[in-house]
Amino acid sequence: MTARAARLFLALSAARLFVEPAAAGEVPLSERRSGYEFMSRETRAMQDDDTGNPGTLWVLDGEALWKRKAGASDRACSDCHGDARESMKAVAARYPAFDPALRRPVNLEQRINACRVGRQKAPALAYESRDLLALTAYVTRQSRGLPINITIDARTRPFLEAGREAFFRRQGQLNLACAQCHDDHWSGKLAGSPITQAHPTGYPLYRLEWQGLGSLERRLRGCLTGLRAESYPYGAPELVDLELYLMWRANGMRMETPAVRP
Amino acid sequence: MNWREACAIAFSILVGNAFAGDSIPASLTGAKGDPARGRAIVANRQVGLCLLCHSGPFPEERFQGGLAPDLRSAARLSEGQIRQRIVDSTKLNPQSIMPAYYRSEGLERVAPAYRGKTILSAEQIEDVVAYLTTLK
């Protein structure tokens, strides 16, 4: 190799070094922290102990709903999918996922409702209703401890890019971007509470402030309201794109549903 | 916006430009603000929002921000420099996370309730400026 070629090679491999971590997500895996790591010892203990974790109530409700026949088809989820502990293992870790019929990614709540309406011939469950949260929590519970695993292909890339664009866009009367808090200032405190890196590892989760279980979209709507920005209705494509970006950004992190947050 | 506020904005833009964005020497209302009212605005989490990011001499407020300098650092600034930072700090630092308190244009996706409105009124900003100048 000539000296010039060697220099070029070195320059190129140095460039790769800087480019690669960004390609795998804006915060390198080794520096990523779940919201869990920012919590007090008491709140962590509440999440860690299934009997003390209030989210367990929704998971148990979800298990019952999984086995209950519903709709004109008079079939239960379990009639098609069997034991969720087998069939639903690692499924939530790859949602939002591409829906060929809608030609766009759908989140887990939308996927569950597609089965309700299409297969069970039952009415869709309302967003944030006890039953939809329970079924979502039960299905997602089957991914607890497993790594988030979003793969992007030509069909999903435009939606990932839309979500990323939204994350970096200043918006609302306060004119702030998600990234300004969650990428640039995650070690800081907003009015005394930790900002965190906004990883969606624990949803649906129990928030002490909500006194109940809530979805990732509920949390996103909360941050948007805080910015005094226009919010989106539940299930809006813009919210699902953001969810896809956040899940992809957290690739490799372990799922913790049902988590607890302050 | 009334005609007085419109004049004040036009004036502040002119003056602001004249000082390369570092200072707005003239009061937005033409009058001095009230420091006691200003202190209440700064401490109020729904009105001033300052303590979300800043800390300051507010022993009665338990949860203060840790994203920005303590407000006592304003002591080294002139009244006009303080006013500029509240009106629009992105004039000094385009990357600033501090919201522009006297700006209602060029913002994206503002919630309907806040659309076309500034975060604080000219009077409120003068009250806050008056309070911050007492921190010297």
Side-chain angles (χ1 to χ4, degrees):
Chain A
M1 202 173 343
T2 65
R4 199 164 153 251
R7 262 205 313 275
L8 188 68
F9 175 78
L10 274 176
L12 281 176
S13 37
R16 268 174 68 88
L17 220 78
F18 287 109
V19 169
E20 228 136 65
E26 259 74 40
V27 188
L29 191 54
S30 60
E31 283 167 37
R32 283 190 231 155
R33 307 269 179 277
S34 156
Y36 176 88
E37 296 186 43
F38 295 79
M39 305 199 302
S40 68
R41 204 150 45 85
E42 297 75 43
T43 320
R44 286 190 204 193
M46 191 190 263
Q47 173 171 324
D48 291 342
D49 169 19
D50 275 344
T51 57
N53 183 333
T56 301
L57 296 174
W58 277 262
V59 173
L60 292 174
D61 274 4
E63 185 174 12
L65 286 170
W66 179 263
K67 296 175 184 151
R68 187 180 305 156
K69 296 187 186 302
S73 76
D74 201 35
R75 281 194 295 183
C77 314
S78 56
D79 289 334
C80 289
H81 297 288
D83 186 346
R85 283 170 302 183
E86 288 305 320
S87 65
M88 293 296 130
K89 197 171 171 175
V91 167
R94 51 178 180 76
Y95 268 78
F98 190 75
D99 180 328
L102 295 174
R103 308 189 59 77
R104 62 157 291 113
V106 294
N107 65 22
L108 193 57
E109 285 88 341
Q110 292 172 320
R111 178 66 248 184
I112 289 170
N113 263 330
C115 275
R116 284 268 307 173
V117 175
R119 312 274 180 192
Q120 289 183 303
K121 313 288 180 207
L125 297 168
Y127 286 106
E128 304 307 292
S129 62
R130 173 117 194 156
D131 284 2
L132 186 54
L133 287 170
L135 273 171
T136 310
Y138 179 60
V139 171
T140 310
R141 170 68 182 79
Q142 313 313 322
S143 296
R144 190 161 86 179
L146 299 175
I148 294 179
N149 179 26
I150 300 283
T151 48
I152 296 296
D153 60 22
R155 300 171 309 174
T156 46
R157 182 159 308 278
F159 303 97
L160 178 75
E161 293 308 330
R164 190 209 305 265
E165 196 269 324
F167 194 78
F168 284 90
R169 174 176 63 209
R170 280 179 179 253
Q171 55 182 320
Q173 194 191 36
L174 303 193
N175 200 26
L176 283 168
C178 316
Q180 286 182 295
C181 282
H182 294 297
D183 280 348
D184 302 344
H185 290 97
W186 56 263
S187 57
K189 288 197 168 176
L190 196 68
S193 61
I195 289 177
T196 83
Q197 298 178 352
H199 293 304
T201 45
Y203 290 84
L205 57 71
Y206 187 90
R207 234 181 125 74
L208 300 174
E209 188 196 310
W210 295 337
Q211 296 281 298
L213 210 74
S215 70
L216 177 56
E217 291 200 351
R218 181 169 178 190
R219 176 69 243 186
L220 301 186
R221 284 161 51 101
C223 277
L224 285 166
T225 305
L227 304 181
R228 300 184 175 178
E230 210 176 338
S231 201
Y232 300 101
Y234 282 104
E238 292 88 347
L239 284 181
V240 180
D241 293 348
L242 257 177
E243 286 177 85
L244 177 66
Y245 172 69
L246 288 174
M247 285 291 280
W248 172 85
R249 180 174 169 270
N251 255 345
M253 295 182 77
R254 311 251 159 215
M255 301 278 289
E256 1 167 344
T257 306
V260 175
R261 293 288 181 269
Chain B
M1 181 174 0
N2 61 31
W3 67 269
R4 234 179 70 182
E5 281 175 343
C7 289
I9 291 179
F11 184 68
S12 70
I13 290 168
L14 288 173
V15 174
N17 282 347
F19 287 81
D22 180 53
S23 171
I24 302 175
S27 162
L28 300 179
T29 59
K32 274 228 167 303
D34 173 41
R37 276 207 309 260
R39 187 181 191 279
I41 292 167
V42 170
N44 187 312
R45 280 146 214 277
Q46 275 81 48
V47 181
L49 315 164
C50 315
L51 298 187
L52 291 182
C53 298
H54 291 275
S55 54
F58 299 87
E60 73 280 16
E61 294 291 334
R62 259 184 78 210
F63 300 108
Q64 307 192 6
L67 294 180
D70 189 280
L71 287 174
R72 276 165 282 205
S73 74
R76 39 164 254 286
L77 302 173
S78 71
E79 184 192 302
Q81 285 175 316
I82 293 174
R83 188 176 289 107
Q84 174 65 70
R85 280 151 184 79
I86 297 167
V87 164
D88 190 351
S89 68
T90 62
K91 287 277 189 302
L92 294 120
N93 169 16
Q95 258 45 267
S96 181
I97 57 166
M98 177 158 158
Y101 279 84
Y102 205 51
R103 173 171 158 196
S104 57
E105 304 298 321
L107 303 172
E108 279 192 62
R109 304 196 60 261
V110 178
Y114 299 101
R115 218 168 279 159
K117 296 181 186 150
T118 59
I119 302 175
L120 293 179
S121 68
E123 285 76 12
Q124 288 175 312
I125 289 179
E126 288 310 320
D127 292 342
V128 171
V129 171
Y131 166 66
L132 291 182
T133 55
T134 66
L135 295 182
K136 287 184 189 201

